Amino acid sequence: MRLVDELMDDTNFRFDITEIRLLPKSRGIFEVYVDDQLIYSKQELNRFPEKKEIPDLIRKLISL
């Protein structure tokens, strides 16, 4: 399942998301920001996220 599909899944954030932007970066950089806050960086962790990892990080952030 693609990341966008995971985020738009009814059980996640379908009605809370107003925008998803994918911005190409050089050198294979993959980063996820929520309201300008970095929540995931492939460059820092040296790996792509696991399945459901990004939705879980978002859920954790918005539950604060």
Side-chain angles (χ1 to χ4, degrees):
M1 180 179 283
R2 298 176 321 169
L3 177 58
V4 172
D5 294 332
E6 287 181 33
L7 294 173
M8 296 308 292
D9 185 330
D10 282 349
T11 61
N12 289 313
F13 314 103
R14 181 181 183 142
F15 301 107
D16 296 323
I17 293 175
T18 58
E19 178 181 42
I20 294 176
R21 284 188 284 159
L22 303 175
L23 306 172
K25 299 281 186 170
S26 62
R27 300 184 326 248
I29 293 174
F30 177 83
E31 295 178 331
V32 178
Y33 290 84
V34 174
D35 294 331
D36 296 323
Q37 181 177 347
L38 179 65
I39 64 164
Y40 185 89
S41 172
K42 176 185 170 264
Q43 186 175 19
E44 289 178 11
L45 297 173
N46 202 31
R47 65 175 177 81
F48 279 103
E50 300 292 326
K51 184 177 181 175
K52 300 288 186 182
E53 184 173 2
I54 299 300
D56 288 345
L57 290 169
I58 295 171
R59 191 175 293 109
K60 187 182 297 184
L61 179 71
I62 64 174
S63 69
L64 295 175

